[in-house]
Amino acid sequence: MSRSKVAVLKTSPSSVLEDYGKLMRLADYKKHLSPDSDTVIKLNLSWTKYFPACSSQPWQLEGVVKTLLEDGCRKESLWPVENKTVVTNPVKGAVNNKWMPVLNRYGLGFTPLPDVEWVVFKPKAKLLMLDKIFPEGIEVPKMFLGKNVLHLPTVKTHGHSTTTGAIKNSFGGLLKEVRHYCHKYMHEVLVDLMLLQREIHEGIFAVMDGTVAGDGAGPRTMIPYVKDYILASGDSVAIDAVAAKMMGMDPMSIPYLRMCHDRKLGCANPGEIEIVGEDISNVNFGFEAKKSFVIWGDQMIRKGFLRPFEKILLHSPLMVWAPFASNVYHDFFWYPTVGGNRIKAFARTGWGKLFEKY
């Protein structure tokens, strides 16, 4: 069995589109995406508003789409999609994160997953937790069945899962709006999602943007740092492991990566991964995953001292308080103050200036 391969390149605002082409070809993307199947381009929307490193970058989307079309993919076979959560809106997010100018330029549409048909999918694999969380059946988008999936995550930390990347990106594609029910068992659910993807998709590939990477209380209230890296791989576990190592973490100590590795769903041991492109042996961003006020509160309800109130607070009509509180904190308190200062600093960088051009 061949070793998992992860391609890593350094890039710049002036060369990023061409570099994405080099990256994908270096990672042998054609070997992982079946030419006989359509490809779902699963974008990553962690916030309806734009915040650096939070969601798929417009140059990430353009670099990928440009490469696919240059290499002979028909635009009719490409399906850019994103889902909603109780606190995000995919249509508004596609505008705020400047995906729409890219898609319009290349003649592609955008499909909000709440608008498509969802069907109950019965996996053959034995799951760890998803079938218990959704005993009435696991619903997935019907349009995903039999298609390739190409994930577009970013390099960042996450308060629920330590890091978030290619595997976690499927969380927003294969599960409905109520996927916050899974937060209590996040690591087990991410393993289940790898099992589901193997049965649902013809091929799986991931292209990760680390031009600006997020440290701290991800996936939203982070400190963005310019890092100028991009990554790609046909092994979602391996690319997430390499990103974790670059952030300064031991991938095998992160539960979802270790569990995927142990179940041979991919390789999480950096010593067993073939890394091509840049020499990243001495790369260490020194990142540390932290919990935002909202994620801390969520975990206290699900696992901590507020657990006796979990059912009434998060699984009843009273649940509307949670997204309301999250939106007030994130959109009306943190974003205009702390976030605003970080966005102003980002705007002065080369990547900030490139974002404005979109």
Side-chain angles (χ1 to χ4, degrees):
M1 182 176 178
S2 60
R3 297 171 70 192
S4 295
K5 178 191 287 188
V6 176
V8 183
L9 290 179
K10 289 285 280 187
T11 188
S12 69
S14 62
S15 66
V16 66
L17 299 184
E18 291 72 24
D19 289 341
Y20 265 118
K22 295 175 185 176
L23 178 83
M24 292 172 65
R25 294 165 187 133
L26 193 60
D28 300 323
Y29 83 92
K30 288 185 178 181
K31 292 183 179 179
H32 300 282
L33 299 178
S34 171
D36 299 322
S37 300
D38 287 1
T39 297
V40 170
I41 300 176
K42 172 55 180 68
L43 289 143
N44 176 233
L45 183 71
S46 292
W47 205 339
T48 302
K49 296 179 179 294
Y50 178 76
F51 188 77
C54 187
S55 303
S56 301
Q57 299 281 14
W59 50 83
Q60 177 184 13
L61 174 60
E62 182 169 14
V64 167
V65 168
K66 181 174 180 289
T67 301
L68 293 171
L69 295 178
E70 284 178 350
D71 287 356
C73 284
R74 296 177 300 107
K75 63 182 180 181
E76 294 80 12
S77 70
L78 302 178
W79 296 88
V81 306
E82 182 50 311
N83 206 355
K84 71 175 291 187
T85 69
V86 292
V87 293
T88 60
N89 181 310
V91 175
K92 292 181 180 178
V95 173
N96 293 339
N97 286 272
K98 300 194 177 182
W99 301 340
M100 293 314 299
V102 174
L103 298 179
N104 292 337
R105 184 178 303 148
Y106 290 90
L108 299 180
F110 175 71
T111 302
L113 291 178
D115 295 350
V116 306
E117 181 183 358
W118 291 67
V119 295
V120 173
F121 182 77
K122 298 179 180 179
K124 298 175 183 177
K126 179 176 175 56
L127 302 180
L128 299 180
M129 193 56 63
L130 271 179
D131 51 345
K132 300 176 181 64
I133 296 172
F134 302 112
E136 71 284 1
I138 302 166
E139 291 186 81
V140 303
K142 185 178 181 180
M143 66 172 292
F144 277 32
L145 302 177
K147 287 185 173 68
N148 300 314
V149 65
L150 201 166
H151 291 292
L152 300 187
T154 60
V155 177
K156 59 182 182 283
T157 55
H158 198 292
H160 282 305
S161 55
T162 310
T163 65
T164 175
I167 301 174
K168 179 72 167 55
N169 199 45
S170 65
F171 187 80
L174 291 178
L175 299 178
K176 277 193 156 182
E177 180 182 347
V178 292
R179 57 188 176 273
H180 56 272
Y181 293 167
C182 301
H183 285 169
K184 188 173 182 177
Y185 306 102
M186 179 62 77
H187 293 277
E188 292 83 358
V189 166
L190 294 181
V191 176
D192 285 346
L193 289 172
M194 281 299 301
L195 292 166
L196 285 179
Q197 287 187 90
R198 285 191 161 197
E199 297 186 26
I200 289 172
H201 297 299
E202 283 297 310
I204 303 170
F205 194 75
V207 178
M208 186 181 293
D209 190 276
T211 57
V212 187
D215 181 26
R220 293 189 181 188
T221 55
M222 304 175 292
I223 303 173
Y225 291 101
V226 170
K227 295 298 180 182
D228 298 330
Y229 281 104
I230 52 178
L231 303 83
S233 181
D235 182 338
S236 295
V237 179
I239 193 172
D240 285 0
V242 170
K245 182 178 183 296
M246 293 173 70
M247 284 188 270
M249 305 173 194
D250 173 14
M252 294 295 282
S253 71
I254 299 173
Y256 78 91
L257 291 175
R258 186 188 66 249
M259 288 190 286
C260 283
H261 181 90
D262 290 345
R263 288 164 176 76
K264 302 188 186 307
L265 298 174
C267 183
N269 184 344
E272 299 174 6
I273 299 170
E274 180 186 2
I275 299 174
V276 296
E278 300 293 328
D279 179 4
I280 59 167
S281 55
N282 295 318
V283 172
N284 184 338
F285 297 167
F287 283 7
E288 180 183 1
K290 297 179 181 178
K291 295 177 176 61
S292 68
F293 174 74
V294 170
I295 287 182
W296 175 84
D298 181 274
Q299 293 186 353
M300 289 304 100
I301 295 171
R302 299 182 195 278
K303 303 177 182 179
F305 68 96
L306 294 174
R307 188 174 178 181
F309 306 101
E310 178 184 1
K311 186 162 288 188
I312 192 170
L313 289 175
L314 298 177
H315 298 268
S316 80
L318 290 177
M319 191 267 167
V320 294
W321 75 270
F324 174 78
S326 176
N327 283 330
V328 168
Y329 173 74
H330 284 112
D331 292 4
F332 298 104
F333 173 69
W334 194 90
Y335 192 87
T337 55
V338 179
N341 290 328
R342 293 175 182 174
I343 291 171
K344 288 178 183 177
F346 166 73
R348 294 190 291 269
T349 69
W351 296 107
K353 293 173 182 176
L354 179 60
F355 181 78
E356 286 304 314
K357 290 180 181 179
Y358 279 93

